[in-house]
Amino acid sequence: ERERERMEHRTHPPLFPAQANELRRLLYEQYVDPGPLNDKDKFKNVTLPFWMKKLNALAVASDANDLGLGPGKSFTFGDISIFEVLNQVVNHVGDDILQKYEHREIKVFYDTCSKRARLRLYMDNRKPAKF
């Protein structure tokens, strides 16, 4: 019972925005913004694989018990926050970055989200960001 409570807390959608913000912070700190902490190799070879494994666990949990990301009963703000940060990673690091990891569920999550009609409409019509 305690393990189930811990699992539900760990994968509960309100935590997703905080996790997305942490990955976004690291993306900009280590990959996008110039500065003393910029280390593209570290981001691609250490930080991103760690986060892909972590996020993939949430996508797997969703498939198992609707405790994580994606196609569960509800498409939540948490799902949007994770999709949005993955989209930033793809835009900065490259379209193929999600294919490089053994954890495929997060790629399926990203692809599924990007096919949602309203997200697709937004992505197709948004103005390019000035980086």
Side-chain angles (χ1 to χ4, degrees), residues 88-103:
Q88 285 192 36
V89 169
V90 166
N91 286 329
H92 286 290
V93 181
D95 290 339
D96 63 338
I97 194 67
L98 297 181
Q99 296 173 12
K100 293 183 178 184
Y101 298 100
E102 63 188 74
H103 311 291

Side-chain angles (χ1 to χ4, degrees), residues 6-70:
R6 245 183 45 217
M7 179 68 166
E8 285 180 8
H9 178 72
R10 184 178 64 86
T11 62
H12 196 263
L15 298 178
F16 294 169
Q19 293 171 337
N21 284 336
E22 179 64 12
L23 177 54
R24 185 180 305 100
R25 181 186 67 78
L26 292 167
L27 169 67
Y28 280 84
E29 188 177 85
Q30 295 177 358
Y31 198 86
V32 176
D33 294 339
L37 299 176
N38 186 292
D39 188 341
K40 287 180 173 57
D41 288 335
K42 179 180 179 183
F43 183 79
K44 288 171 85 173
N45 297 315
V46 178
T47 303
L48 198 52
F50 169 81
W51 277 95
M52 290 300 100
K53 182 177 180 181
K54 185 174 186 165
L55 295 175
N56 196 75
L58 299 176
V60 170
S62 181
D63 288 343
N65 294 312
D66 194 31
L67 297 174
L69 296 170

Side-chain angles (χ1 to χ4, degrees), residues 112-131:
T112 301
C113 288
S114 64
K115 292 176 187 172
R116 293 179 71 94
R118 290 189 180 187
L119 281 177
R120 186 80 261 147
L121 182 67
Y122 168 76
M123 290 169 50
D124 289 345
N125 293 299
R126 67 183 168 186
K127 295 178 183 176
K130 296 176 184 176
F131 296 107

Side-chain angles (χ1 to χ4, degrees), residues 65-94:
N65 294 312
D66 194 31
L67 297 174
L69 296 170
K73 296 175 187 170
S74 301
F75 191 69
T76 68
F77 180 76
D79 293 317
I80 292 285
S81 65
I82 297 296
F83 171 76
E84 187 273 333
V85 74
L86 289 174
N87 195 51
Q88 285 192 36
V89 169
V90 166
N91 286 329
H92 286 290
V93 181

